Amino acid sequence: MVVGEAGAGRGYFTFKLARRVGEVGRIYANDIDAGALAQVRERCQTEGVRNVETVVGQVDDPRFPTRALDLVMMVYALHDFAHPAAFLQNLKAYLKPDGRVVILDQNPEASGDGHFFSRDRLVTVFRESGYDLVQEEGFLTKDLLLVFRPSRS
């Protein structure tokens, strides 16, 4: 499996994903913060992790390899993007035909933290960017876990 992590920062989830996809899988850790990605590369070298590649993106474009990703993960990130709709529109070019985008974000209705996007706002931003909600998990008490795919119409 080939996974892109958008907004990877210093790689907290990157390394969890790298273990999950195994040696034959690939993780592309993306961020606009080149310094954070340098820390990811250093940790990869220190720990002998060989299935992670870093990608310095732009504010509205992750710059992943074209049509390469089975899945894109965004963990506690999208609400901080300057242009989330433009980012999501550009993201479609990097997904394989059946690719998915998974959002794990704090649920502001459960936490009271208005900094995060509500479920309805996430669904609206994705819909307006050309995605359909295909799965929603409810097992997390303070977080939202939503899965989207590019619209087929």
Side-chain angles (χ1 to χ4, degrees):
M1 182 173 243
V2 180
V3 177
E5 183 185 10
R10 292 182 182 93
Y12 177 79
F13 267 90
T14 303
F15 292 94
K16 295 178 184 310
L17 292 167
R19 285 190 295 278
R20 184 72 177 148
V21 300
E23 292 179 18
V24 296
R26 190 105 192 118
I27 303 296
Y28 289 95
N30 154 271
D31 208 286
I32 60 171
D33 183 346
L37 293 176
Q39 291 180 18
V40 171
R41 287 190 302 278
E42 288 171 18
R43 183 172 169 194
C44 285
Q45 184 144 1
T46 301
E47 296 180 15
V49 176
R50 292 176 178 76
N51 63 346
V52 172
E53 185 174 328
T54 60
V55 180
V56 178
Q58 297 173 334
V59 171
D60 62 354
D61 190 340
R63 301 177 70 192
F64 287 125
T66 303
R67 299 275 179 241
L69 306 176
D70 297 296
L71 180 77
V72 172
M73 287 281 307
M74 285 188 248
V75 180
Y76 279 47
L78 188 65
H79 61 273
D80 284 328
F81 288 13
H83 307 289
F87 184 92
L88 293 172
Q89 288 169 358
N90 289 327
L91 182 62
K92 288 187 271 188
Y94 305 110
L95 292 168
K96 290 180 181 176
D98 289 328
R100 301 286 192 265
V101 179
V102 177
I103 299 296
L104 173 62
D105 220 352
Q106 192 175 111
N107 183 351
E109 294 172 10
S111 69
D113 188 342
H115 176 71
F116 295 88
F117 287 178
S118 69
R119 178 209 176 273
D120 290 344
R121 184 166 180 201
L122 283 168
V123 171
T124 298
V125 168
F126 270 88
R127 186 180 314 117
E128 290 174 353
S129 301
Y131 291 82
D132 297 321
L133 177 65
V134 294
Q135 188 175 348
E136 182 172 359
E137 297 295 335
F139 65 90
L140 299 169
T141 58
K142 295 194 180 200
D143 292 313
L144 299 167
L145 182 60
L146 306 172
V147 182
F148 297 89
R149 74 165 181 233
S151 299
R152 296 185 182 195
S153 54

